[in-house]
Amino acid sequence: MIFDTTLRDGEQAPGFSLRVDEKLRMARQLEALGVDVIEAGFPIASEADAEAVRLIAGTLERTTVAALARCAAGDIDRAAWALEPAPRRRIHTFIATSDLHLSRKLNMSRDACIDAAVAAVTRARGYTDDVEFSAEDATRSDADFLCRVIEAVIAAGATTINLPDTVGYSTPDEIATFFADVIGRVPNADTAIFSAHCHDDLGLAVANSLAAIGAGVRQIECTINGIGERAGNASLEEVIMATHVRADRLPVTTGIDTRQLYPSSRLLTELTGEAVQANKAVVGRNAFAHEAGIHQDGMLKDRRCYEIMRPEDVGVPRTTLVLGKHSGRHAVAARCEQLGFALDRDGVDRVYRAMVAAADVRKHITDQDLVDIACAVLGVAAPSQPAPHEPVPHESGYGFGV
Ligand code: KIV
Ligand code: ZN
């Protein structure tokens, strides 16, 4: 199960807040993407959050809508109100279980923590039979105490148990052992679905999520573009494509339509105004772009030389061969051909040398730059067909761009 928390954990990060109408647009896209659960917000946190959750709950048809609530009656009641219109609703209640959080943040004893957790789950079950319990800072909690809490909340009716790596402290081998241990020790574990919610403080959120799957976890909590508190959450697109490309190692399936990954990433970027880093896996600008000559040559011969997934499978229109100082003759010849130049070997060589010299000065060579270079070097007029801005796809199917 894919539990998307872009609109809650993601949206609460600095720079990513969205208006109610923007949250609704994103929620519709997430439904088209095929996530199982959309965590739409934290209704007690603000009027706007409550309103957004209620609007999304009344709009989506297939996807379960979840709302976050602390283990407090007021939070649970507010979440239940916001979720009322949803055909499928989940109350997600959480409390910290590590001694550090209990003593320093909540000033609460372990026994009081269990009581609050059980009371919250019981109250939530009065509103819906789909209740998720999260033990905040689970991976830094005392294992014996954590198991006691989990057993108690499952007995009280929790159907999903989420064990967050709240501060992104775990390593993959450690988190696998952690989940296997908890699932093995909690006597009623088989009546709940276990879930991983990994933060990316050490850049390990996706690796940890995948390791958790190997240990029996069947729900991953993640976000589009990996947005979320501090360094973010596990990136949904990376988790999904890892399970697709490496199905041999990760034999699980999801309901995700992978062709909606890039459109989802683009919509989030458009709505938040926060760009995705160019080299971001799966959805970054360079994820399917090649500039190095050896790579372009390999790509033009067989794309599998340098791509382990097809851009169209994640909704990226096409592979891009970028002309720059690292490019080679093969790519220059292919692009010149697209632009209407018929070059012999010597012509390719001369245009290539001039292009590399120009690329030493400017960062990228555009189609117009290449036309100008080719015309100057060959002493010919620009071909009238095809126009540089209407390139005929090369037989490789790749686009050229900057
Ligand atoms: O990181 C975390 O612990 C959370 C919980 C509220 C699920 O976001
Ligand atoms: Zn979180």
Side-chain angles (χ1 to χ4, degrees):
M1 292 186 65
I2 296 298
F3 177 108
D4 181 278
T5 184
T6 304
L7 298 177
R8 199 279 298 168
D9 209 323
E11 202 255 354
Q12 76 192 36
F16 290 94
S17 68
L18 297 171
R19 293 192 315 264
V20 172
D21 59 310
E22 293 171 330
K23 277 188 130 186
L24 182 62
R25 261 184 86 189
M26 195 65 217
R28 285 188 205 270
Q29 175 59 35
L30 292 171
E31 184 163 72
L33 175 63
V35 307
D36 299 283
V37 185
I38 292 175
E39 186 165 48
F42 189 7
I44 200 76
S46 75
E47 274 302 315
D49 238 31
E51 202 194 313
V53 174
R54 200 168 163 95
L55 189 62
I56 292 167
T59 306
L60 299 188
E61 288 164 10
R62 300 183 302 278
T63 318
T64 296
V65 181
L68 188 66
R70 288 167 300 185
C71 287
D75 281 37
I76 306 261
D77 296 348
R78 192 74 176 134
W81 173 83
L83 290 171
E84 229 168 35
R88 294 161 204 245
R89 65 192 83 112
R90 172 181 295 188
I91 295 178
H92 175 197
T93 188
F94 76 101
I95 191 165
T97 52
S98 68
D99 288 331
L100 177 64
H101 280 235
L102 284 175
S103 65
R104 305 293 296 170
K105 187 181 80 175
L106 299 176
N107 192 20
M108 197 183 232
S109 69
R110 286 183 173 183
D111 284 345
C113 169
I114 297 196
D115 290 348
V118 168
V121 169
T122 307
R123 192 173 188 96
R125 277 300 300 247
Y127 290 111
T128 171
D129 56 10
D130 188 347
V131 174
E132 172 168 334
F133 172 79
S134 282
E136 190 188 8
D137 208 19
T139 53
R140 294 194 300 170
S141 300
D142 175 75
D144 292 338
F145 174 61
L146 184 64
C147 289
R148 270 178 63 209
V149 177
I150 296 168
E151 184 179 354
V153 294
I154 293 177
T159 45
T160 301
I161 299 296
N162 183 42
L163 301 181
D165 187 27
T166 300
V167 289
Y169 184 70
S170 290
T171 61
D173 59 325
E174 193 178 23
I175 209 157
T177 308
F178 166 76
F179 272 105
D181 184 47
V182 170
I183 294 171
R185 282 171 62 181
V186 171
N188 50 4
D190 58 334
T191 61
I193 289 177
F194 278 76
S195 165
H197 173 116
C198 299
H199 277 273
D200 209 30
D201 299 68
L202 293 175
L204 294 172
V206 171
N208 284 340
S209 303
L210 300 178
I213 295 174
V217 159
R218 286 297 171 267
Q219 174 178 284
I220 296 298
E221 302 201 354
C222 44
T223 59
I224 300 296
N225 296 343
I227 69 169
E229 284 285 356
R230 305 179 310 281
N233 288 67
S235 138
L236 184 150
E237 53 278 6
E238 294 177 22
V239 169
I240 291 300
M241 290 319 292
T243 63
H244 275 250
V245 174
R246 296 310 310 270
D248 56 327
R249 308 290 302 178
L250 296 156
V252 289
T253 53
T254 68
I256 296 292
D257 176 355
T258 60
R259 290 162 307 174
Q260 293 296 331
L261 288 171
Y262 186 64
S264 304
S265 167
R266 297 294 300 165
L267 178 62
L268 184 64
T269 303
E270 181 197 321
L271 295 177
T272 60
E274 292 285 340
V276 170
Q277 73 194 59
N279 62 321
K280 164 87 173 62
V282 184
V283 294
R285 193 177 69 237
N286 287 354
F288 297 96
H290 309 266
E291 182 181 324
I294 292 171
H295 288 216
Q296 290 182 335
D297 180 55
M299 285 295 295
L300 288 163
K301 288 170 177 158
D302 187 332
R303 67 195 304 166
R304 291 171 305 173
C305 290
Y306 290 106
E307 282 183 357
I308 59 168
M309 55 193 138
R310 299 186 313 168
E312 55 270 33
D313 290 344
V314 300
V316 171
R318 63 168 71 85
T319 285
T320 313
L321 301 185
V322 179
L323 292 184
K325 66 176 179 177
H326 305 108
S327 303
R329 285 174 180 73
H330 196 165
V332 169
R335 187 62 189 135
C336 282
E337 187 193 322
Q338 274 186 327
L339 292 169
F341 292 94
L343 301 182
D344 59 15
R345 208 186 160 105
D346 176 60
V348 169
D349 202 49
R350 284 159 59 208
V351 174
Y352 163 74
R353 283 177 201 284
M355 188 281 294
V356 171
D360 266 339
V361 183
R362 49 195 111 133
K363 258 194 165 144
H364 299 294
I365 299 297
T366 64
D367 281 351
Q368 189 57 57
D369 292 335
L370 192 60
V371 169
D372 293 345
I373 290 167
C375 290
V377 166
L378 304 170
V380 296
S384 52
Q385 285 295 326
H389 55 280
E390 290 166 4
V392 173
H394 182 257
E395 60 182 2
S396 63
Y398 305 147
F400 284 76
V402 292

